[in-house]
């Protein structure tokens, strides 16, 4: 697996739409992200099918439960053959350690490399105000993100999901080898849709993030293959 890559978010409602999109890629096999909508709608077979076509898969299910439950779930995800998956850092260092063990167990049983495991720090949809008022977290949102990233590193995970603008802060606190996976990618002047703070692929590269997750700028483009190639040319 490449150290840096462009991951296409397959935010489609079902397998039909997903494969209509993937069929456009006749030359390259992009790294793709499968999220909750597609996974819960189609079940684990969608992962097996996309994997069998030769794509690397980031399964974005953001696990958060008691440690033993997460460990057993992660083992099953490893047996599915995913290449990257994630948990909520809010589940604590212990939960993250168990998640990693589950992935290791599954990888061993399947005779393959362990998938990368990354954590979500604070969802970008959570404002500092809500975090402080509703979750009673007294710190600033940036301090919380850095602390959660440090916990993630302490648990032995590979990195975190964060906005490109947070990536520099996370790298400073956790080191350059600690992976950052960043959504919120847009070209200047393009429709931001529901993203608030956005970064272009070349700026994401300059910041030093490792993987970018790009959805609509590629999936809704008139020519998705050309759009994917442009993002790759600008980021890689
Ligand atoms: O279409 P767009 O490029 O905005 O898609 C970004 C993808 O990254 C979506 O699948 C979205 O759920 C995900 N994501 C995000 N912001 C986060 C975490 C995940 O946009 N903080």
């Amino acid at each position: 697996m490449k150290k840096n890559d462009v991951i296409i978010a397959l935010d489609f409602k079902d397998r039909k739409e997903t494969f209509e999109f993937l069929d456009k890629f006749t030359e390259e096999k992009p790294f793709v992200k499968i999220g909750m909508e597609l996974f819960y709608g189609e079940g684990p077979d969608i992962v097996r099918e996309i994997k069998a076509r030769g794509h690397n898969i980031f399964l974005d299910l953001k696990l958060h439960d008691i440690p033993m439950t997460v460990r057993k779930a992660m083992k099953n995800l490893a047996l599915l053959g995913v290449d990257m998956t994630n948990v909520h850092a809010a589940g604590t260092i212990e939960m993250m350690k168990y998640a990693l063990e589950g992935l290791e167990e599954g990888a061993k049983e399947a005779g393959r490399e362990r998938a990368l495991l990354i954590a979500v720090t604070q969802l970008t949809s959570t404002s500092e105000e809500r975090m402080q008022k509703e979750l009673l977290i007294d710190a600033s949102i940036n301090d919380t993100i850095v602390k959660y990233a440090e916990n993630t590193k302490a648990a032995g995970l590979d990195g975190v999901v964060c906005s490109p603008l947070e990536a520099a802060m996370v790298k400073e606190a956790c080191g350059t080898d600690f992976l950052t996976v960043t959504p919120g990618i847009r070209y200047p002047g393009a429709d931001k849709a529901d993203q608030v703070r956005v970064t272009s692929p070349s700026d994401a590269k300059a910041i030093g993030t490792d993987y970018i997750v790009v959805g609509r700028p590629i999936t809704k483009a008139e020519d998705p293959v050309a759009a994917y190639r442009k993002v790759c040319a600008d980021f890689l």
Side-chain angles (χ1 to χ4, degrees), residues 162-228:
C162 62
S163 82
L165 304 164
E166 293 154 6
M169 191 168 85
V170 167
K171 292 272 186 193
E172 199 181 317
C174 299
T176 48
D177 288 346
F178 190 68
L179 300 178
T180 54
V181 179
T182 62
I185 303 296
R186 290 294 182 273
Y187 281 102
D191 179 13
K192 288 202 226 171
D194 48 1
Q195 297 285 10
V196 183
R197 288 170 297 142
V198 298
T199 309
S200 70
S202 49
D203 284 347
K205 178 182 180 170
I207 288 166
T209 198
D210 302 280
Y211 294 89
I212 53 174
V213 177
V214 187
R216 288 158 292 183
I218 294 174
T219 57
K220 302 271 187 234
E222 222 165 277
D223 182 344
V225 177
Y228 171 71

